[in-house]
Amino acid sequence: MRKPRKRSFADLVLENKRQILKDQAAMERIEARLEQKRLTKAE
């Protein structure tokens, strides 16, 4: 039996991105957070 290949950090990041893009609620929370950052920087 072979050991399962360890996944690289980049692979994990890509998989995480795909799951977040599918999750609309998570996307909305992230967008709201980014908007808040932009507003505080603009002041």
Side-chain angles (χ1 to χ4, degrees):
M1 282 282 226
R2 263 182 5 151
K3 281 175 122 181
R5 181 175 82 79
K6 284 200 177 184
R7 299 171 71 195
S8 72
F9 181 72
D11 290 340
L12 292 173
V13 168
L14 281 173
E15 183 180 325
N16 197 18
K17 264 189 203 173
R18 276 190 220 107
Q19 288 183 344
I20 289 174
L21 286 170
K22 285 183 203 164
D23 183 355
Q24 197 58 42
M27 284 296 290
E28 288 169 9
R29 286 195 304 270
I30 291 168
E31 287 171 3
R33 220 177 297 150
L34 289 173
E35 189 67 28
Q36 280 301 111
K37 277 187 182 179
R38 285 192 204 109
L39 289 174
T40 56
K41 282 185 179 180
E43 290 175 354

